[in-house]
Each structure stands twice: as C-alpha cells, then as structure tokens.
Amino acid sequence: MSQQTLEAIVFDKNLDSLKILDQLLLPYKTHYIDIESIDDAFQAIKLMQVRGAPAIAIVGAFTVTVDVHRSLQANEKRTVAELVNKIDYLVTSRPTAVNLSNALNEIKQLLRSSFKDSEVVNEAVFDVIKKYSVALHEGDLDNNYKIGDNGVKYITETLKKQNFQGPFSIVTVCNTGSLATSGHGTALGIIRSVHAQLTKEAGNDFWFEHAYPLETRPYNQGARLTTYELNYEKIPFTLICDNMVTSLISSLSKKRAVKSSTAPVKFIIVGADRVVKNGDSANKIGTFQLAAIANYFNLTSSNEQDKIKFIVAAPNTTVDHNTATGDDIVIEERPPHELTTLEGPLVSKNGSIGEKTVVGIATPGIQVWNPAFDVAPHQLIDAIVTEDYPVHEKQNGEFSL
C-alpha cells in the first residue's frame, strides 16, 4: 500500500496548478491527477475521482482558475461570455450537490459585476477568480473546525439534558471527512472533534467510545474512504453493512457486545449535499432510512436516556435558500454498472495488492435503479449543525434556515 494522505485537493498558488487525489484508487493506492482544464474537472467530478459536496465546489472554483491561467499562458482569446458558458457546463457534472453550483454562480456574479460579456478574459479576470477560489478553500477549512466544535457542544448539551452516563457510539454514512472537504470534514469532522474532546479523561459523566461507519453501497465510500480516514486518525471504529444498523442499535441497547464494545448508539451524524429552506436534507442514498430507524427506536423507547439524535452536518454553502422543500431537489441517477459490478484491486491470500479489476455481482442485462441520493425529511432531523452557533433546531416542528 502506498503512503497514506488525507489531502484531497492540492492547489499551488505560485504555479497556479491543481492536483486532486484519485479517490477511486483509495485505500490501496495514493495517486494524484492533474486538473488542467474545465473538461478535466468535469470528467473527474462525474467519475467521482473527487467527491463530497464541499470538495467538488472547491475543485470547481480552482479549476476555473487553472483553466483561465493556462488559456492566458497560451495567449488564447475568449470572451467573458464564453468563459461563463464553460462554467455553466461544469455545474452539470453533479446536479444534486448545491455547493458546486453556488460557488460557480458566485464566480459568474463576480465576473458580470466587474466585466462586460464581450470583454476578453485577461489578468484582471484571472485575479478575481483566483482570489475567490483561495478564499473559498481556506474558508471551508476554518468552517469545518467550527462545525466540529459546534457538534461537540450540541452533543454535550444533549447528553447532559438526558442525564446520560457512560460510553456512547456514533453511526455515520458515506464519507464526510477530509477527503470530501478542504480538511477535517463535516459529519466526520464532528466525530474527529468528539474523539479529541469527549474522552473518558475529560471529566464528564459520558465519553465517546466507538464509531460505526456504514459500507455505503453501491459505491462503498464508507468502506473505502471513511475507514481509511478513521484508521489514519486512530479513532476506534467497526465497519458495518448498510442493512445492519437496526441490529447494531438493538444489540447495543440490550448491552450485547458488538466485538468488544457495548456503548449504545446515541447519535447518527450525516453530511449533506443540499439542505433546503425547510430543513429537508439530500445526502447519500440510505440517509433517509437512517433517520427513519432513529425515529423508530425513539418512538419505542420510554427512557429519555435511550433516545438517538439524528444530526445533519454541513456548511452554510450547502444550504439552498431558493428551494422550499426536498420534493424540488433534483436527484442524480448513477449508471447501472455501479450497482451491478464491483471494482477494485485483486487481494491475494497473503494480503498483497494486485491489479485493479471489475467483478460482476448481478444478472447481466437487468433493469437497475441507482439514485445517488435521497432526502431525509426535516421532521426526522433533530439538529442541523453549521459553522454558526447555536445549531439549528426546530421550533414548533419547523426549521428556519
């Protein structure tokens, strides 16, 4: 296995060059891809070599920066209007994640407020785009640490209100860590912060003991990427399949050990690709069922200490203030082969890693439905944690975003 890294996006401010970590090769191989044009980025985002709503927004912005830089170096002539058309094309690479469209639309607004459509793209245009992109990247990292700290505050307050004592566990889905952002992460960032701050030695009556990342079929971001990050950070965790959550929560609530831990699940923390005005939240497929599972256990328990909180963690850049409810979110459908095949390296009995291959796991030629996301309704969400504090909680059953 090659040297591990959690740096998903590498932008060189001096050379104005961009590299992204090819996440399709993780956790077995570390390889960076050069992004030199908008077309390069479109393919990388579409193929999910880079993924995660904040990360693809940052890559999108840096890509426009690099594309303009290379065009100027080659002395190519194009108008601001032509550049805007290319930016619109890049937005279509992942339609559900609002961060990408938000960032690129802000770049378009900056261009149109400072330049005429007919003007030729020049160094002044480049400077505006680069300044915005660098600020987006640096701001996202700062906001992720704030999300982590706000998540710790919410979790601490919740456990104190419940008079909960002892160790607790957290369930998460997909990958929402450094690999999906500029660093630290959103939902996984909260787990990082909880692991660092809510230790047994911290002096509280409760402490974090274990994380349970879901495999996250059909693309296995949890198995490939979240376990990679948790292992890198030495955070205690156990990987489970998507359909094991109810058994996990039930077993732990009855003090039946899962491996060596009996710490009950107290929180399910997920990221988001789009949060709309009423709090409905689009995230990786399977998120809705996690919210429904938490709701079931809460309805069937009379003990407040047993309640499970369902938390959405996302920066404000993920909030879509123009969409009223989750019914209006466009859900991307992925290609059938992502569900009917598995792709990865051959692993020998002695653990050595071989060549990458594709293995079929379904009857050839069948009909497949493969939505990439679903929408957790706001009624099942307890809190939306952003970089702002206090966290968003419902008043009279409704969020106000």
Side-chain angles (χ1 to χ4, degrees), residues 64 68 78-87 111 121 125 129:
V64 179
V68 171
R78 60 176 165 176
T79 64
V80 169
E82 289 170 332
L83 176 59
V84 166
N85 286 338
K86 288 291 287 186
I87 292 173
L111 295 179
V121 173
V125 171
I129 298 170

Side-chain angles (χ1 to χ4, degrees), residues 89-197:
Y89 166 70
L90 185 55
V91 171
T92 65
S93 58
R94 294 300 300 274
T96 303
V98 74
N99 305 56
L100 178 64
S101 60
N102 280 348
L104 296 182
N105 284 335
E106 286 179 8
I107 289 177
K108 286 162 53 180
Q109 290 170 8
L110 287 171
L111 295 179
R112 284 174 168 158
S113 65
S114 302
F115 309 97
K116 296 178 180 178
D117 282 353
S118 59
E119 285 189 60
V120 174
V121 173
N122 55 24
E123 288 291 342
V125 171
F126 170 75
D127 289 342
V128 167
I129 298 170
K130 181 177 179 179
K131 182 179 179 181
Y132 172 86
S133 303
V134 170
L136 179 68
H137 183 245
E138 294 175 351
D140 181 70
L141 182 58
D142 182 55
N143 288 338
N144 289 342
Y145 281 105
K146 291 178 181 177
I147 290 170
D149 288 340
N150 291 343
V152 171
K153 291 176 187 176
Y154 175 78
I155 287 170
T156 300
E157 292 166 0
T158 297
L159 295 175
K160 285 182 176 178
K161 287 177 183 176
Q162 293 180 340
N163 293 315
F164 180 85
Q165 296 181 342
F168 66 92
S169 297
I170 298 173
V171 167
T172 192
V173 66
C174 199
N175 173 258
T176 56
S178 293
L179 298 174
T181 64
S182 59
H184 196 67
T186 54
L188 193 52
I190 293 179
I191 293 175
R192 276 192 170 91
S193 297
V194 166
H195 172 66
Q197 298 178 41

Side-chain angles (χ1 to χ4, degrees), residues 97-356:
V98 74
N99 305 56
L100 178 64
S101 60
N102 280 348
L104 296 182
N105 284 335
E106 286 179 8
I107 289 177
K108 286 162 53 180
Q109 290 170 8
L110 287 171
L111 295 179
R112 284 174 168 158
S113 65
S114 302
F115 309 97
K116 296 178 180 178
D117 282 353
S118 59
E119 285 189 60
V120 174
V121 173
N122 55 24
E123 288 291 342
V125 171
F126 170 75
D127 289 342
V128 167
I129 298 170
K130 181 177 179 179
K131 182 179 179 181
Y132 172 86
S133 303
V134 170
L136 179 68
H137 183 245
E138 294 175 351
D140 181 70
L141 182 58
D142 182 55
N143 288 338
N144 289 342
Y145 281 105
K146 291 178 181 177
I147 290 170
D149 288 340
N150 291 343
V152 171
K153 291 176 187 176
Y154 175 78
I155 287 170
T156 300
E157 292 166 0
T158 297
L159 295 175
K160 285 182 176 178
K161 287 177 183 176
Q162 293 180 340
N163 293 315
F164 180 85
Q165 296 181 342
F168 66 92
S169 297
I170 298 173
V171 167
T172 192
V173 66
C174 199
N175 173 258
T176 56
S178 293
L179 298 174
T181 64
S182 59
H184 196 67
T186 54
L188 193 52
I190 293 179
I191 293 175
R192 276 192 170 91
S193 297
V194 166
H195 172 66
Q197 298 178 41
L198 298 185
T199 63
K200 193 172 184 179
E201 295 73 31
N204 294 306
D205 292 329
F206 45 80
W207 59 93
F208 170 74
E209 183 173 284
H210 215 77
Y212 292 94
L214 271 61
E215 176 190 31
T216 318
R217 284 281 295 145
Y219 228 61
N220 300 314
Q221 296 99 319
R224 293 188 297 107
L225 305 177
T226 299
T227 63
Y228 177 85
E229 293 202 41
L230 291 169
N231 189 59
Y232 185 96
E233 299 279 15
K234 296 181 171 53
I235 298 173
F237 73 94
T238 299
L239 175 67
I240 62 172
C241 291
D242 301 352
N243 52 6
M244 294 178 181
V245 178
T246 48
S247 292
L248 172 77
I249 294 174
S250 178
S251 296
L252 293 175
S253 69
K254 297 171 183 176
K255 305 299 181 184
R256 296 173 183 166
V258 174
K259 298 302 181 179
S260 59
S261 178
T262 58
V265 173
K266 290 294 298 169
F267 302 93
I268 298 175
I269 310 179
V270 304
D273 288 78
R274 187 181 295 248
V275 180
V276 297
K277 287 174 67 174
N278 73 342
D280 293 349
S281 298
N283 191 49
K284 185 54 55 190
I285 189 74
T287 299
F288 186 176
Q289 71 185 19
L290 288 177
I293 288 169
N295 186 57
Y296 165 79
F297 280 101
N298 290 339
L299 290 175
T300 56
S301 174
S302 58
N303 188 347
E304 189 65 23
Q305 293 184 349
D306 295 334
K307 302 290 187 182
I308 300 169
K309 294 292 187 180
F310 186 87
I311 302 170
V312 172
N316 285 323
T317 53
T318 303
V319 179
D320 177 1
H321 295 286
N322 298 316
T323 301
T325 74
D327 291 337
D328 297 319
I329 298 175
V330 176
I331 299 298
E332 175 188 4
E333 185 169 350
R334 300 291 298 176
H337 72 82
E338 292 180 5
L339 187 58
T340 60
T341 63
L342 286 176
E343 186 173 352
L346 293 172
V347 181
S348 67
K349 291 182 179 179
N350 65 8
S352 62
I353 307 301
E355 292 297 315
K356 192 175 180 181

Side-chain angles (χ1 to χ4, degrees), residues 8-12 15-21 33-46 49-51 54-72 76 78 83-84 86-91 93 100 103-104 107 111 121 125-126 128-134 136-137:
I9 304 165
V10 180
F11 178 73
D12 190 313
L15 299 176
D16 296 313
S17 63
L18 176 64
K19 297 177 184 291
I20 62 168
L21 184 63
I33 304 167
D34 291 313
I35 301 295
E36 299 180 344
S37 68
I38 287 175
D39 289 331
D40 287 347
F42 184 96
Q43 289 301 316
I45 293 170
K46 193 72 176 175
Q49 290 171 303
V50 60
R51 23 71 51 209
I56 63 175
I58 295 164
V59 168
F62 275 144
T63 294
V64 179
T65 305
V66 170
D67 189 276
V68 171
H69 172 71
R70 289 182 63 83
S71 177
L72 292 175
E76 297 174 356
R78 60 176 165 176
L83 176 59
V84 166
K86 288 291 287 186
I87 292 173
D88 286 336
Y89 166 70
L90 185 55
V91 171
S93 58
L100 178 64
L104 296 182
I107 289 177
L111 295 179
V121 173
V125 171
F126 170 75
V128 167
I129 298 170
K130 181 177 179 179
K131 182 179 179 181
Y132 172 86
S133 303
V134 170
L136 179 68
H137 183 245

